[in-house]
């Protein structure tokens, strides 16, 4: 009888356990809002892994930004050096350009104004003719023409002799005023 009683109790316990398992699983869903407890394994496996990934991603982003910053700093230093070179070149050009202003000279009959290099000139008063030892003439920028040797120089025209190859003008009246900029020499006949 004892065996029967033990068997009955065992069957009853198994039945109650089975009913408890089926009853608790039927329609019940886990709600984390009502159960705030978190296990250590969840923290180690889920939360810590997520934070470790975020830290790794942020570290990689910081390293990338640091490399980009170093590259930009290098480019900035290079641009500063170029700016300093250009500023020095501009300063040198400004101080070396002594022929930036026109010089007014007075010539008399028979005197020649001969270009010693690049020369700009404007006849202000009097008269003159072009002079050239070769086939090249004097460029008249005002009319966009070339005045050949022996041709009359018009008053108030911007004239250019691009190089010092002996070209110039010969003055044909007294007290002729000429504005010049560049290298020149005056030759008397």
């Amino acid at each position: 009888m004892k065996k029967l009683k033990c068997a009955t109790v065992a069957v009853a316990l198994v039945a109650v356990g089975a009913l408890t398992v089926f009853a608790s699983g039927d329609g019940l869903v886990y709600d984390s809002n009502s159960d705030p407890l978190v296990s250590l394994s969840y923290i180690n496996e889920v939360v810590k892994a997520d934070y470790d990934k975020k830290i790794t991603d942020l570290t990689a982003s910081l390293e990338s930004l640091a490399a980009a910053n170093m590259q930009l700093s290098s480019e900035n230093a290079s641009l500063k050096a170029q700016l300093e070179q250009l500023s020095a070149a501009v300063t040198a050009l400004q101080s070396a350009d002594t022929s930036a202003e026109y010089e007014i000279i007075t010539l008399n009959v028979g005197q020649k104004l001969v270009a010693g290099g690049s020369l700009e000139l404007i006849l202000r008063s009097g008269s003159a003719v072009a002079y050239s030892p070769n086939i090249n003439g004097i460029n008249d920028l005002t009319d966009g023409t070339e005045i050949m040797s022996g041709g009359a120089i018009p008053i108030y025209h911007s004239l250019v002799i691009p190089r010092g190859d002996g070209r110039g003008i010969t003055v044909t009246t007294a007290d002729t005023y000429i504005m010049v900029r560049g290298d020149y020499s005056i030759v008397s006949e």
Side-chain angles (χ1 to χ4, degrees):
M1 174 117 162
K2 247 185 180 187
K3 280 189 180 183
L4 184 60
K5 223 180 200 193
C6 281
T8 305
V9 171
V11 169
L13 284 174
V14 169
V16 169
L19 285 175
T20 303
V21 169
F22 288 121
S24 68
D26 187 32
L28 293 178
V29 177
Y30 175 73
D31 183 11
S32 63
N33 292 330
S34 63
D35 185 12
L37 295 178
V38 177
S39 68
L40 180 61
S41 63
Y42 176 78
I43 291 173
N44 287 337
E45 293 172 9
V46 176
V47 176
K48 186 176 181 299
D50 187 43
Y51 282 116
D52 287 345
K53 182 180 180 320
K54 288 180 181 178
I55 288 173
T56 303
D57 292 346
L58 287 174
T59 303
S61 294
L62 286 174
E63 290 172 356
S64 174
L65 289 173
N69 187 31
M70 288 179 62
Q71 181 181 359
L72 288 174
S73 295
S74 173
E75 290 175 9
N76 188 24
S78 174
L79 290 174
K80 280 184 179 179
Q82 287 178 359
L83 180 63
E84 289 173 4
Q85 289 175 347
L86 291 173
S87 293
V90 166
T91 302
L93 287 173
Q94 287 173 341
S95 64
D97 192 9
T98 57
S99 65
E101 295 182 11
Y102 280 97
E103 177 184 354
I104 298 175
I105 59 172
T106 305
L107 298 178
N108 287 309
V109 178
Q111 288 184 310
K112 288 183 184 177
L113 175 72
V114 180
S118 179
L119 179 69
E120 296 177 55
L121 61 108
I122 299 173
L123 180 63
R124 295 288 307 250
S125 68
S127 63
V129 293
Y131 169 78
S132 179
N134 52 43
I135 63 168
N136 296 318
I138 297 174
N139 300 322
D140 184 344
L141 300 180
T142 305
D143 283 342
T145 60
E146 185 173 16
I147 303 170
M148 303 310 286
S149 187
I153 302 294
I155 293 179
Y156 298 116
H157 279 224
S158 180
L159 307 174
V160 173
I161 302 172
R163 60 182 174 271
D165 57 0
R167 288 181 280 177
I169 62 171
T170 302
V171 175
T172 57
T173 60
D175 295 327
T176 299
Y177 290 93
I178 304 167
M179 291 175 36
V180 294
R181 179 167 45 191
D183 297 328
Y184 68 92
S185 61
I186 298 173
V187 178
S188 296
E189 291 183 344

